[in-house]
Amino acid sequence: MSDRKPFLGGNWKMNTNRTTGSDLARGVTDGLISVDGVEPALFPPFPYLLTVRAILRDRGSSIRLGAQDVYFQPDGAFTGEVSVAMLRDCGTQVVLVGHSERRHVLGEKDELINRKLRTVLESGLDAVLCVGETLDERTAGHQDIITARQVKTGLADIPASYLERLVIAYEPVWAIGTGKTATPQDAQDAHAQIRQLIERSYGKDSAQRLRIVYGGSLKPDIAPDIFAQPDVDGGLVGGASLNAADFVALAKAAAAAGRAKR
Ligand code: PEP
């Protein structure tokens, strides 16, 4: 039994251009027109936020507009960075924080991720906090410690009232963009561990309401078994979100899994 509405995010990363991104947004919007029971969100690159926003608005779509990152300062001499106010100005509703590519390719640490997360949630926008272990950490048997550290440090000084606008994405780094996926049981175990951590810090109610989604090479054929796990509340999708039919199929699978748990 779960009242949590599944979330499905499409993280386009540094892909698409204005034409292909527009086609993709139209394809997803049209494919999801009569699909309910899932909260879809698209995370295009910054330069296409307004283009995608216009497409969603023109079609009266409830798909949420997301940004892939943000900086914690409100304005100033931070060349190349983007503030939360700028994202709001472009109609962004939800922001990814701590994606593994930000952590491991661009060197972001837990403390910076926490500042970003606080900035997003304090501003009233929603956030997706991404956590997950690398292959080396998993091989060494440290996945629980790493995930716990990322969750605890990421959520430092974040009050319980903000959790309603937070999704946590468990994304084992070895599964992102590699074609390898966690088994449904491994995903369930990691999600249950995260929910327990939340329960310890914020209480049972907050833990039961929080959506925890899986990310890592999700495809329409394997997703239903993962989405069916009791503590998995949808997904965060990279590669497969670049194909409208795949993303729509994943959204339908997430909605079906959510209905089955009610
Ligand atoms: C991601 O970028 O969050 C992701 C899960 O990517 P992929 O689906 O390509 O593994």
Side-chain angles (χ1 to χ4, degrees):
M1 282 275 288
S2 163
D3 289 337
R4 299 184 293 268
K5 186 175 192 174
F7 173 91
L8 190 79
N11 174 15
W12 295 0
K13 312 193 188 197
M14 200 171 74
N15 294 301
T16 69
N17 58 35
R18 200 142 55 91
T19 305
T20 59
S22 300
D23 289 346
L24 183 54
R26 281 189 211 101
V28 170
T29 310
D30 293 348
L32 289 181
I33 238 151
S34 56
V35 177
D36 54 17
V38 60
E39 185 181 306
L42 297 180
F43 297 84
F46 290 142
Y48 309 134
L49 279 170
L50 287 174
T51 306
V52 173
R53 179 203 202 188
I55 291 167
L56 299 182
R57 247 198 341 209
D58 285 354
R59 285 168 152 70
S61 174
S62 59
I63 296 174
R64 314 199 71 217
L65 183 65
Q68 297 175 19
D69 190 32
V70 69
Y71 197 53
F72 64 86
Q73 294 285 1
D75 50 40
F78 304 104
T79 302
E81 296 294 343
V82 168
S83 73
V84 85
M86 292 170 183
L87 294 180
R88 291 186 77 104
D89 210 13
C90 295
T92 302
Q93 296 156 298
V94 49
V95 184
L96 291 185
V97 179
H99 189 276
S100 73
E101 285 141 21
R102 304 285 330 164
R103 290 178 190 266
H104 299 294
V105 181
L106 295 148
E108 291 192 6
K109 301 278 177 265
D110 287 322
E111 289 67 26
L112 173 61
I113 290 163
N114 171 250
R115 293 189 80 169
K116 291 184 174 193
L117 188 61
R118 278 191 279 145
T119 304
V120 172
L121 293 172
E122 276 161 14
S123 81
L125 295 187
D126 294 359
V128 179
L129 170 67
C130 305
V131 300
E133 79 283 358
T134 64
L135 184 57
D136 284 351
E137 289 160 348
R138 188 177 189 83
T139 309
H142 294 158
Q143 68 265 28
D144 291 357
I145 301 168
I146 298 299
T147 308
R149 191 203 71 217
Q150 292 177 347
V151 170
K152 278 191 194 149
T153 324
L155 293 181
D157 298 323
I158 294 200
S161 58
Y162 285 178
L163 290 200
E164 285 173 15
R165 288 183 289 106
L166 176 72
V167 169
I168 294 184
Y170 169 66
E171 302 202 292
V173 180
W174 48 270
I176 297 185
T178 59
K180 297 188 184 118
T181 320
T183 65
Q185 190 58 54
D186 283 345
Q188 166 57 24
D189 291 347
H191 284 228
Q193 184 218 351
I194 294 170
R195 206 174 297 287
Q196 270 168 19
L197 287 168
I198 299 296
E199 183 170 333
R200 259 179 250 138
S201 304
Y202 292 98
K204 198 173 173 91
D205 264 17
S206 296
Q208 283 308 313
R209 282 205 300 269
L210 178 75
R211 288 176 298 178
I212 307 174
V213 303
Y214 170 81
S217 296
L218 274 174
K219 299 278 180 311
D221 54 341
I222 48 144
D225 286 345
I226 295 182
F227 291 162
Q229 299 303 309
D231 284 296
V232 178
D233 307 311
L236 182 59
V237 190
S241 75
L242 297 173
N243 178 298
D246 282 353
F247 188 75
V248 168
L250 286 165
K252 288 180 179 169
R259 276 193 294 275
K261 288 177 205 169
R262 242 169 256 141

